[in-house]
Structures are given as structure tokens and as C-alpha cells.
């Protein structure tokens, strides 16, 4: 596993279980695991905009990854934790694999390849409302070249968007691409259709092992990183063409209000590539930016559980998607 994954707690002195089929509470939120318990990492891999983030959020039961209509919304691997009595599944949402147009795009593809090197199962995702094409075949070839022995599960997403006969077409295409020995699961994250079936299939392919995370933890994403993504998600709303890819957000400062301990002060910077983009984000009279701040603040308050003062400043970082130094500054 990757060195970034959490270390296991030392359970050598933990009390022995009296019932091998029961989970008993342990320190730090961990529980001892019953016999036959399975655990591992499952990566959802596919083209941009195939519903990977929506699916992960639905499985975890909480919004971990942001969602937007634009492709290439996800920019880094995001881990969500699904706890069951018989298993702990760490779902890894990855950026969509695509033909890169920028240095950022190249690095996102590299991130995906690095990510699925360290997982136990790969969920190959395709949307029910789009035919499979050369891009899907390319991704599958890359996966099988890098991880020839890793189990693959075919996942057809967005069942709610098409009639049953179209779903049948996708399943036949998936059989042709993946082979008839690969299990296929059609799902709708939006309507929560067949999510339990998908989890059963994924768990069946995981190795036996202990928990990686405490039972009350749903992600290892830091609060600041989640706040940055929530702001970016609201900024992406309604944007078209190349502008969504030019938006990046960083928390500049975050601390309790010294005058009001019940309020968190958050100062963020939204980076854009050109002055014209800044004017688009601001909108007439600054109204669009005000709406972004207002909607972001509501989601952030839900996340941190307290009142929030949010300040978002716009800054032009010329052509940051092609600038290695700028990408490093922004964490890519």
C-alpha cells in the first residue's frame, strides 16, 4: 500500500475477543475485526464525467467529493470509507482519464496511474447514456498492463438517465470490452439503485484483513482541502467551455474569530488564468462572486458545524495549468 495510507494501530495488547464473530470496541475508534473480515482499497477509474464522484458519495453516505456537470472536476484521489459489519471498503475516487491538453492534464493522468497501482479492486465505470469508445478501451488497456492480476468490476452508472433497453446495450458492450468472466453491476447513485449489490460484489473481491480507519471516519481528506473543493464546486456552477479548468482554490488563512469563538474565519484565494475570467467570476456588480460565497458558506457551515465568515479573493495566475512552479504551488 501507499506510504500515505494510515498506519495500523498496535493491537498486540488489546483484549482478546470472547466471540470470534463479534466486533468489540477498541481505542481510537477502531474495533477488533471478526473472523473472515475483509478490507481493502477500491479505485473507480473511467473517463471524465462518468459519475465516479457521485457514486462514491452515495456509497459513503456523505458528500466527500464535489460534483459538477463539467468533466475533469475531480483533480486528486479522494478516499471515502464504507464500514460494514463484515468489511471496510476504502473507495478511491480518481480524476477522469483523458487526452491531456495541458501540463495539469498530464499530471492528473499520472495521478490516476499511480493510484491504481496501490488498490485491491478496480471499478471500471462507464455511463449508461454514452456508448463505449476508444477512450474506454485505452483506459482498460492501461489498467491491465499496469495491474494484470487486479480484479476488475464493470460498473454502468446513471441508470436513471436511460430506458432499460439502452442499459442492456451498455452491458453487452461492457462484456465485449471486459470479457464475460468480469462481473458487471448497473447502478444509479442518484436513486440509490443496486448500491448494495455493488458493495457485495466489491467486498467479495477484497482480501481478508483488519480495518484501515476508525469506524466513525468517512474520509482522510483534511478540512481545509474539503473547504477549498466546496468553494470550487460553487464557482464551477454555470461555467462553460475552458473556464472551469482555469479555476483553482486555496485556503490562505483559517482560524477562530478572536471576538466570537463560535465563528470560524476563512480567507480563500481563487486563482484564474486571465483577467477576462476574473470578470466572468465576479459577474455584474460582483453579484456572481457574492452568490458563490453565499452558497459555499452554507455548505462549509454544515461541514465544520459552526458559523463561518468566508472571504474569497480573486487572483490571476497566468496560464497556471502549464506552469510547473504554479502547479507545484497549487499542489499538483
Amino acid at each position: 500500500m501507499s506510504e500515505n495510507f494510515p498506519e495500523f494501530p498496535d493491537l498486540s495488547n488489546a483484549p482478546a475477543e470472547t466471540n470470534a464473530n463479534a466486533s468489540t470496541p477498541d481505542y481510537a475508534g477502531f474495533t477488533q475485526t471478526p473472523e473472515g473480515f475483509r478490507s481493502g482499497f477500491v479505485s473507480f477509474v473511467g473517463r471524465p464525467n462518468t459519475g465516479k464522484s457521485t457514486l462514491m458519495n452515495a456509497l459513503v453516505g456523505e458528500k466527500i467529493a464535489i460534483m459538477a456537470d463539467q468533466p475533469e472536476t475531480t483533480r486528486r484521489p479522494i478516499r471515502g470509507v464504507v464500514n460494514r459489519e463484515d468489511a471496510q471498503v476504502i473507495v478511491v475516487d480518481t480524476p477522469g482519464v483523458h487526452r491531456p491538453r495541458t501540463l495539469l492534464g498530464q499530471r492528473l493522468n499520472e495521478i490516476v496511474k499511480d493510484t491504481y497501482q496501490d488498490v485491491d479492486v478496480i471499478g471500471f465505470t462507464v455511463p449508461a447514456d454514452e456508448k463505449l469508445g476508444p477512450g474506454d478501451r485505452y483506459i482498460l488497456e492501461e489498467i491491465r498492463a499496469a495491474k494484470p492480476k487486479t480484479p476488475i468490476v464493470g460498473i454502468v452508472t446513471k441508470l436513471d438517465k436511460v430506458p432499460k433497453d439502452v442499459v442492456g446495450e451498455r452491458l453487452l458492450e461492457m462484456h465485449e470490452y471486459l470479457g464475460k468472466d468480469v462481473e458487471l453491476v448497473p447502478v444509479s447513485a442518484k436513486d440509490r439503485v443496486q448500491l448494495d449489490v455493488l458493495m457485495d460484489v466489491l467486498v467479495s473481491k477484497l482480501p481478508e484483513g483488519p480495518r484501515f480507519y476508525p469506524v466513525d471516519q468517512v474520509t482522510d481528506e483534511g478540512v481545509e482541502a474539503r473547504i477549498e473543493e466546496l468553494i470550487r464546486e460553487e464557482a464551477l456552477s454555470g461555467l462553460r467551455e475552458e473556464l472551469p479548468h482555469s479555476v483553482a482554490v486555496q485556503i490562505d488563512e483559517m482560524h477562530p474569530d478572536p471576538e466570537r469563538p463560535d465563528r470560524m474565519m476563512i480567507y480563500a484565494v481563487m486563482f484564474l488564468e486571465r483577467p477576462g475570467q476574473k470578470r466572468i467570476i465576479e459577474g455584474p456588480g460582483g453579484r456572481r462572486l457574492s452568490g458563490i460565497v453565499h452558497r459555499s458558506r452554507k455548505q462549509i457551515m454544515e461541514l465544520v458545524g459552526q458559523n463561518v465568515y468566508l472571504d474569497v479573493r480573486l487572483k490571476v495566475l497566468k496560464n497556471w495549468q502549464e506552469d510547473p512552479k504554479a502547479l507545484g504551488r497549487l499542489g499538483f
Side-chain angles (χ1 to χ4, degrees):
M1 291 298 169
S2 166
E3 62 184 3
N4 294 322
F5 294 152
E7 296 182 359
F8 294 117
D10 180 7
L11 300 180
S12 58
N13 296 319
E17 292 186 71
T18 56
N19 181 350
N21 295 316
S23 295
T24 57
D26 198 0
Y27 66 90
F30 281 87
T31 60
Q32 293 180 313
T33 54
E35 184 179 350
F37 190 88
R38 295 177 181 270
S39 63
F41 292 76
V42 176
S43 180
F44 291 154
V45 180
R47 288 182 286 111
N49 215 27
T50 57
K52 298 183 294 294
S53 299
T54 305
L55 179 57
M56 186 187 79
N57 290 340
L59 292 174
V60 174
E62 183 175 324
K63 183 176 181 179
I64 305 301
I66 67 169
M67 300 170 290
D69 293 334
Q70 295 86 0
E72 301 175 41
T73 298
T74 302
R75 286 181 175 165
R76 63 175 183 272
I78 298 174
R79 291 187 281 269
V81 184
V82 182
N83 286 294
R84 303 194 341 173
E85 289 186 3
D86 62 339
Q88 184 178 78
V89 183
I90 298 90
V91 180
V92 187
D93 181 27
T94 60
V97 179
H98 61 290
R99 187 184 299 277
R101 303 184 304 271
T102 63
L103 180 58
L104 172 64
Q106 293 175 25
R107 292 193 176 180
L108 294 184
N109 281 354
E110 290 167 4
I111 286 171
V112 177
K113 292 178 183 179
D114 289 343
T115 299
Y116 62 61
Q117 295 288 339
D118 292 320
V119 299
D120 302 288
V121 181
I122 292 173
F124 181 66
T125 63
V126 299
D129 59 343
E130 295 179 26
K131 288 182 176 294
L132 277 74
D136 299 292
R137 189 177 297 279
Y138 168 78
I139 294 168
L140 184 59
E141 289 172 353
E142 288 285 306
I143 292 171
R144 284 185 162 154
K147 298 280 286 183
K149 295 183 179 180
T150 300
I152 296 175
V153 175
I155 306 171
V156 178
T157 60
K158 306 185 182 183
L159 293 190
D160 48 283
K161 289 195 169 188
V162 297
K164 290 183 178 180
D165 59 330
V166 177
V167 176
E169 292 175 11
R170 292 296 89 76
L171 292 173
L172 289 173
E173 291 174 352
M174 289 282 273
H175 269 306
E176 180 183 343
Y177 271 61
L178 298 175
K180 294 188 177 180
D181 294 334
V182 174
E183 291 190 68
L184 306 181
V185 186
V187 301
S188 168
K190 179 183 175 183
D191 295 338
R192 302 195 63 81
V193 174
Q194 294 226 121
L195 297 186
D196 289 343
V197 174
L198 175 59
M199 285 303 302
D200 287 343
V201 172
L202 295 175
V203 168
S204 72
K205 299 184 181 303
L206 292 177
E208 292 189 11
R211 298 183 189 275
F212 288 80
Y213 293 87
V215 293
D216 58 351
Q217 186 171 344
V218 296
T219 184
D220 59 3
E221 283 282 283
V223 173
E224 285 195 13
R226 295 180 70 179
I227 290 172
E228 290 169 350
E229 288 291 87
L230 290 174
I231 296 170
R232 186 166 69 92
E233 179 183 47
E234 294 299 343
L236 296 182
S237 176
L239 296 182
R240 292 293 180 266
E241 299 177 356
E242 84 287 350
L243 183 50
H245 309 300
S246 299
V247 177
V249 177
Q250 272 195 336
I251 299 299
D252 194 33
E253 192 177 348
M254 178 173 164
H255 59 78
D257 187 339
E259 298 181 359
R260 290 180 52 182
D262 64 328
R263 183 169 71 172
M264 183 68 68
M265 308 292 286
I266 301 174
Y267 298 88
V269 179
M270 186 181 300
F271 293 98
L272 304 161
E273 292 189 299
R274 296 189 293 278
Q277 295 172 342
K278 182 178 177 181
R279 290 191 291 271
I280 293 172
I281 292 291
E282 288 174 337
R287 289 191 295 274
R288 192 174 190 285
L289 179 58
S290 294
I292 292 169
V293 172
H294 174 72
R295 295 190 302 272
S296 302
R297 178 174 171 269
K298 288 178 66 176
Q299 292 201 70
I300 294 167
M301 286 194 296
E302 273 188 46
L303 175 63
V304 301
Q306 66 179 112
N307 192 12
V308 165
Y309 169 83
L310 177 62
D311 178 85
V312 178
R313 180 165 50 93
L314 304 183
K315 184 174 181 179
V316 175
L317 189 59
K318 188 176 179 182
N319 297 327
W320 66 262
Q321 294 185 81
E322 295 285 4
D323 184 342
K325 289 184 179 179
L327 287 172
R329 173 181 175 181
L330 295 171
F332 299 107

